[in-house]
Amino acid sequence: GVRDCRALMASAHLDGVPAAGGLTPSGLALFIIDPQVDFHPPSGSLAVPGAVEDTERIANLIDQFQGQIERIVVSLDTHHVLHIANPGYWNDRGGEKPAPFTIISAEDIKNGDFRPVDESQASWALQYAETLEAQGRFKICIWPEHCVIGTVGQTVHPVLLGALQRWTHARHRTVEYLLKGLNNRTEMYSALKAEVPVDSDQGTQLNTDLIRSFHESTVVVCGQAKSHCVNYTMRDLLAGWEGDAARLVLLSDGCSAVPGFEASGDEFESDMKAAGVTVSSCADFTYP
């Protein structure tokens, strides 16, 4: 299964699962974050304005550099209905579900303003909220249901899927898919680590094997959204990077921010420039 991929030492581009191993290709790699229907207008449940145009540019880049791209890893946000950041996990005092974009604090949980529908999760919910807030980055944010397993919204946007399939047929390599967000008990903005890792679930721990497998590559990062999942994935990738930061490339017009979080996207891009990451538009990207 996907969660066991870290133990696999076979060739990732043949097996189709992200893995660290001697046969992992070096050269130009794309790490595409959550390019799914639910993040795209007009029908996505958590549509990011600009995502359609971002995806078109990414697809064009894949076609343009098809013969030079050695590896493509695609993360897929993948949730159950009863995920901790979904309305279905919670009830308020009146037994109603919280509205999307409700912020639930540890204090709210202590006061009984919100509680898990599964009472056995009450202790974890409070522990989770307290741990999350102690890290200083987030409080629990309730999102519209999105990327639920088995729904159309969880699938890759068809424009990008076409480019991925053309690359696969031209290069005889398999796109590596990495599922994120499967564990109901923790949020996973980064494709490389959950916000609060769950001890019993290796898939929520920092994916050092995948980071290590990129070390001989130039890694181009793009997808959705610039304010959240691209942001925190690239921060984790950079934190574990052992080479020249300039070999990490952020496509500035290959991702957009969730409405209301534009400042987070701008701060992320600024931080990457300051860290020595290459920030490029899709049109200006060159390799080698």
Side-chain angles (χ1 to χ4, degrees), residues 173-185:
R173 295 177 184 267
T174 295
V175 175
E176 302 160 51
Y177 286 100
L178 176 68
L179 306 189
K180 60 184 272 289
L182 275 167
N183 193 304
N184 281 339
R185 293 196 288 154

Side-chain angles (χ1 to χ4, degrees), residues 55-66 159 163 166:
T55 294
E56 290 170 348
R57 286 187 284 265
I58 296 165
N60 289 337
L61 185 143
I62 293 171
D63 288 336
Q64 180 183 351
F65 291 91
Q66 185 181 85
V159 170
R166 288 190 293 275

